[in-house]
Amino acid sequence: MYQAHRNEETGQIQTVKEHCENTAALAADFAAAELKEIVYAMGLLHDVGKYQPSFQKRICRGNIRVEHSTCGALAAQTHYANAVAWMMAYCIAGHHTGIPDGMGGGDTPDMSTLAGRMKRSFEDFSKYEQELELPKVSGQELQQFLLRDCSKKEQVYSKFAFFTRYCFSCLVDADSLDTAIFMDGSQNRSLKTDFAACLEKLDKRFDCFVCQTELQKARGSLQAQAFKNAEADGEIYLMHMPTGSGKTLCSMKVALQRVLRENSGKKRIIYIIPYNSIIEQTAEVFEGLFGTDMEILRHQSTFSYDDADMDEDERKTAKLACENWDAQVIITTAVQFFESIYSNRRSRLRKLHNMADSILIFDEAHLMPEGFLQPCLEAIVYLTRYLNSEAIFLTATMPDFRELLERYTLPDSCIVDLITDTSDFEKFAKCRFGDLGFLSEEALLQKAMEAPSALIVVNEKKTARELYEKCGGRKYHLSTYMTAFDRKEVIAEIRTQLAALEKTYPGLQQVPEENRITVISTSLIEAGVDLDFSAVYRELAGLDSILQAGGRCNREGKRPNATVSIFRLAEEEGKALRPKEQYARESLLAFSDISSLESIDAYYRKVFSEKNEEFTKYAMEKYCHGIDSIDFQTYAEAFAIIEQKNISVVALRDEESRALIEDCKRGFPNSRRLQKYTFSIHQNELEELQKQHVVENYNGIWCLTSEDYYDKQLGVLFSGQDYIV
């Protein structure tokens, strides 16, 4: 009996034959029709290295290191040919350690490349040929699939790489699930959603909306357009709707409509958001509306199910579902989504096959990672064209995605515009944009403090802090110098105070100077923070950032003379503008209303100029040198959307944070639970804190050791308590 797993608690044994056959069947069930045969064969061969005598000794006696994954790759090369053989070899060899690079040139057995590993010597594992019945796999069918829609070999290689990861995802998830079932018993891992019940609740919510004012009527008209146009079949849907038009609920209704179509084959909705800060608000909206009819899986770095309000069985199910996205509604970040697709690691790639048969909603789509624009768009096209998914691009500032998709991906994507009549857009213009030119910090604060409630948004954390120090009256500060724990509390207090101000002084008329509110923030307030100010001041930035800041001004359209003022600090005069700042400056000079469709279009034509090589810097085809020499591991290591320029440091905020820091000291850091207690600083700022001996690195986690160097309003301090104002 050749053993694959032994359950020490029950004494049961799972044979290699049983495990390989179970994995093959499960993996094939996950896979798209064109790839089922290949994935089934992978499942059969993935553990044939366990037929080695030394592995059987390891099962019985333990403590013996035996490489078994590469044996299956060698077997695949023996039984299959060309692209089929290489696809199988990559997946099988990497099913524990991650998909390796292919040939590196001069590969030797000590190298971790696929070619190097396949030169190693192994014990006899040929017993698999007697126990496992391998299917015939049509190499011609795979070849036809890879060539479809591709006009050059580089596109074929890139497509091969994507679907190798996809097949790997099917294999490793099946392997993990079958092993878990044998070791722990069958588990209910899926989070369920009643799509029909959710759509019924959402329809009732829309029916309750009042449509009396011109703005309300315009909102209803745009939403009706989106719902009607969503009846058309497409791969990618563009939902271009102004701020305040109800995009979030509108996109969810479109997604539910598409899921519930007859024979849609859709299994889930994945809501992809650019920032962690927006996820919380979006999840609260959906949970409040849908209740128990929608069990949402939240997968983000700043959220831990250990802290969630749920019973232990629910918590266990959710944590397991995070491993492979076995849920019907998922809310995640763009970083998590795209870095999972382009990883080479088992833990991340497990979820890729569950991105198929999905409605993918990309909120704030204009913020798609520009440095990785080409591979991000390419992945969306693969998912929508070949894996029965559909994508909704949702934003108030829509670039020309038709042109970008044509330029950077396979041709002829089926794109549907959900909003075709934009005549109502002007009714959402709730504020005027004006350019103040250069202002001193003192002049800026003086202007802001004349308003009943004012928001000042600046580009740098240090600038926000300096302005806060100089500002008088009732003031608040927001930046990533503060922990998410404190930012959440401050935002809640700001919301309460703004509501009280409006209640005390209806229409914000004749507000005494001592009751006026000034908030000074970095750009983190521009997305997902539902606050309403009578005046907004935005330091010159990209046009999309300026318009997002404008979304915090006069949100309900109640005030007739609301203004958003763009400024540059006098201290910055003579400093060169960044490209986006320059393009926004040109828009301010060229258009009387920078929020107009013409202004937005002109801006994005410059941002997404064909001359910008940054968008294709990480094109997968640059890492493909042939089917047998694709740099899977090298590419995965390079594909880091968030550059590690900032360093996260944990602050002592309450008893839980204190306990988590103690866990770090003992060597048991819980990175996910620590996220809400971290603030961000640059390397030179960390070095300053090190000089003052107030930070320590506990098993890879930087922690602030002095409570005197942190203030809940300002965040991290660099000179102790005397810094607090």
Side-chain angles (χ1 to χ4, degrees), residues 175-440:
D175 182 28
S176 296
L177 290 173
D178 183 65
T179 301
I181 290 168
F182 172 74
M183 300 300 287
D184 306 323
S186 181
Q187 301 177 53
N188 177 21
R189 302 167 62 91
S190 184
L191 298 178
K192 301 297 184 183
T193 290
D194 186 335
F195 290 123
C198 288
L199 181 57
E200 184 178 347
K201 284 183 175 179
L202 193 48
D203 281 337
K204 287 180 180 178
R205 171 66 66 88
F206 279 111
D207 289 343
C208 290
F209 287 152
V210 177
C211 287
Q212 294 178 345
T213 68
E214 288 300 308
L215 180 65
Q216 291 167 344
K217 291 176 182 177
R219 182 184 292 127
S221 174
L222 288 175
Q223 292 170 351
Q225 272 195 70
F227 304 148
K228 180 172 177 53
N229 291 332
E231 295 173 3
D233 285 333
E235 295 171 359
I236 297 170
Y237 296 80
L238 304 180
M239 184 181 285
H240 184 191
M241 294 173 66
T243 301
S245 56
K247 295 188 296 295
T248 300
L249 291 183
C250 189
S251 65
M252 179 54 76
K253 179 170 177 178
V254 169
L256 289 168
Q257 286 178 322
R258 299 298 302 169
V259 166
L260 290 167
R261 280 182 313 121
E262 187 176 357
N263 300 320
S264 77
K266 301 295 186 293
K267 299 175 182 176
R268 63 188 59 82
I269 296 170
I270 306 177
Y271 208 104
I272 302 125
I273 296 175
Y275 301 125
N276 277 308
S277 59
I278 313 179
I279 288 184
E280 190 145 340
Q281 181 172 300
T282 304
E284 287 174 358
V285 168
F286 292 155
E287 287 166 353
L289 176 59
F290 300 119
T292 56
D293 288 324
M294 181 180 284
E295 293 185 342
I296 299 171
L297 178 67
R298 286 176 59 178
H299 198 174
Q300 64 190 107
S301 62
T302 55
F303 177 80
S304 172
Y305 276 104
D306 290 325
D307 300 326
D309 183 17
M310 55 177 56
D311 66 40
E312 195 54 41
D313 286 342
E314 291 174 326
R315 181 175 290 110
K316 184 177 180 181
T317 298
K319 290 169 75 172
L320 290 172
C322 277
E323 296 176 6
N324 65 347
W325 284 5
D326 189 1
Q328 290 179 281
V329 176
I330 300 153
I331 301 180
T332 190
T333 61
V335 172
Q336 178 72 244
F337 184 82
F338 288 115
E339 288 191 358
S340 293
I341 289 174
Y342 285 107
S343 177
N344 74 316
R345 308 295 293 184
R346 177 187 183 106
S347 58
R348 278 186 171 272
L349 276 173
R350 273 188 72 180
K351 60 182 80 80
L352 173 55
H353 75 90
N354 276 332
M355 296 176 188
D357 304 312
S358 300
I359 304 294
L360 311 171
I361 304 174
F362 292 92
D363 194 9
E364 306 294 357
H366 66 282
L367 293 175
M368 208 165 285
E370 288 180 13
F372 299 87
L373 182 65
Q374 191 278 336
C376 289
L377 292 178
E378 187 171 68
I380 292 168
V381 168
Y382 290 145
L383 287 166
T384 56
R385 185 166 302 184
Y386 303 115
L387 296 176
N388 191 42
S389 287
E390 295 170 6
I392 302 171
F393 288 6
L394 172 67
T395 179
T397 52
M398 184 74 76
D400 187 353
F401 276 114
R402 286 179 178 274
E403 195 276 329
L404 292 173
L405 286 161
E406 188 70 22
R407 188 196 308 174
Y408 291 130
T409 69
L410 301 180
D412 303 323
S413 290
C414 184
I415 300 170
V416 176
D417 285 300
L418 294 178
I419 303 299
T420 51
D421 180 0
T422 60
S423 58
D424 283 325
F425 277 35
E426 61 185 28
K427 295 171 184 173
F428 291 88
K430 294 167 292 200
C431 54
R432 292 178 290 106
F433 291 84
D435 185 9
L436 297 178
F438 286 98
L439 289 176
S440 67

Side-chain angles (χ1 to χ4, degrees), residues 530-587:
D530 188 10
L531 298 173
D532 185 7
F533 297 88
S534 59
V536 169
Y537 295 83
R538 183 54 168 102
E539 186 176 8
L540 183 65
L543 185 63
D544 52 333
S545 294
I546 293 172
L547 297 180
Q548 284 282 4
R552 310 313 115 193
C553 183
N554 195 24
R555 288 179 70 84
E556 299 303 316
K558 296 176 181 178
R559 295 179 285 276
N561 298 312
T563 58
V564 177
S565 302
I566 297 93
F567 66 90
R568 295 170 68 187
L569 289 169
E571 294 82 351
E572 299 288 321
E573 193 165 1
K575 185 177 179 181
L577 295 177
R578 300 182 182 94
K580 283 190 173 183
E581 294 169 348
Q582 179 60 39
Y583 303 150
R585 177 76 180 137
E586 292 169 5
S587 294

